[in-house]
């Protein structure tokens, strides 16, 4: 997976490649899907949601440009896999999911895989996590129409927010850096995520 799906494409950050090699992706899937864990695809995790494709997880992590000491918020816990990869790359990870059943399963998978220090919250991630803010980085794994203002507000100066922005069926990953002059926005790769529900999202 790391060689063919990540390195041979355009992921060159060695910390991200190492983190993706270390996290056991199969532990974040229901038993009947574990054999497919390393496919180049998003996989169903129930409740109409998916575990993101490995390339998109790596791309989001690379765009956050983490060095190891950061505090990161992961919006849209889903399976918990992205949160585990972030835990390999940053010092502190909070993750928030709106569907309680998914949050519960993700919490159990994170413990099983050895990431018990990741904090899993249930709630509306479009509002961020005011009690944990400010963050060095915020990763959003669900498609938005625009950047939820609360997420930008909860970034530290020079903090980075990575979020798929666009239409319901196709988006571009956007990288938003907080700066004194206002948000600096760069457009990254095209992508397709499940919808973010709430402010700035769909529905
Ligand atoms: N990062 C996940 C991908 C999950 S898909 C993984 O690695 O498996 C996106 C998730 O975002 C879904 O579980 C969905 O329920 C959740 N979601 C959508 N809108 C949300 C919101 N407003 N707050 C929190 N979670 C949300």
């Amino acid at each position: 997976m790391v060689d063919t799906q990540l390195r041979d494409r355009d992921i060159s950050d060695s910390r991200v490649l190492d983190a993706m090699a270390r996290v056991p992706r199969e532990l974040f899937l229901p038993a009947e899907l574990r054999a497919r864990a390393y496919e180049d695809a998003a996989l169903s995790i129930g409740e109409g949601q998916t575990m993101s494709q490995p390339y998109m997880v790596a791309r989001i992590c690379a765009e956050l440009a983490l060095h190891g000491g950061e505090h990161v918020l992961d919006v849209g816990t889903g399976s918990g896999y992205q949160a585990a990869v972030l835990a390999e790359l940053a010092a502190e990870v909070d993750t928030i999911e709106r569907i309680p059943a998914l949050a519960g399963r993700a919490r159990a998978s994170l413990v099983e895989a050895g990431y018990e220090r990741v904090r899993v919250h249930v709630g509306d991630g479009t509002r961020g996590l005011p009690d944990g803010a400010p963050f060095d980085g915020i990763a959003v794994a669900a498609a938005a129409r625009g950047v939820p203002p609360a997420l930008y507000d909860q970034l530290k100066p020079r903090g980075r927010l990575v979020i798929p922005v666009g239409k319901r069926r196709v988006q571009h990953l956007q990288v938003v850096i907080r700066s004194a002059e206002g948000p600096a926005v760069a457009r990254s790769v095209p992508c397709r995520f499940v919808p973010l529900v709430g402010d700035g999202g769909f529905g």
Side-chain angles (χ1 to χ4, degrees), residues 78-165:
S79 67
Y81 176 70
Q82 170 101 58
V85 178
L86 289 168
E88 291 279 353
L89 294 165
E92 270 189 275
V93 179
D94 282 282
T95 180
I96 182 163
E97 168 60 51
R98 59 180 283 273
I99 302 176
L102 291 180
R105 286 204 284 273
R107 200 177 280 122
S109 300
L110 284 160
V111 170
E112 192 188 353
Y115 299 98
E116 46 278 290
R117 65 194 175 82
V118 173
R119 293 179 289 260
V120 181
H121 308 264
V122 176
D124 178 2
T126 64
R127 297 182 185 165
L129 189 68
D131 289 348
F135 300 98
D136 300 286
I138 301 179
V140 182
R145 282 181 215 274
V147 176
L151 296 185
Y152 182 78
D153 290 346
Q154 289 175 29
L155 286 174
K156 289 184 192 170
R158 305 303 299 163
R160 288 176 174 231
L161 164 64
V162 182
I163 179 169
V165 175

Side-chain angles (χ1 to χ4, degrees), residues 25 45 47 49-52 57 74-83 96-99 102 123-126 141-142 193-199:
R25 185 165 158 91
I45 54 169
E47 314 286 336
Q49 307 302 327
T50 56
M51 170 200 251
S52 309
V57 174
D74 172 51
V75 175
T77 313
S79 67
Y81 176 70
Q82 170 101 58
I96 182 163
E97 168 60 51
R98 59 180 283 273
I99 302 176
L102 291 180
D124 178 2
T126 64
F193 280 83
V194 295
L196 182 71
V197 177
D199 191 15

Side-chain angles (χ1 to χ4, degrees), residues 40-63:
D40 189 13
L43 295 168
S44 173
I45 54 169
E47 314 286 336
Q49 307 302 327
T50 56
M51 170 200 251
S52 309
Q53 179 194 15
Y55 175 75
M56 290 314 309
V57 174
R59 185 83 256 159
I60 289 174
C61 290
E63 301 290 7

Side-chain angles (χ1 to χ4, degrees), residues 62-76:
E63 301 290 7
L64 285 172
L66 300 168
H67 298 288
E70 295 87 354
H71 183 193
V72 176
L73 175 65
D74 172 51
V75 175

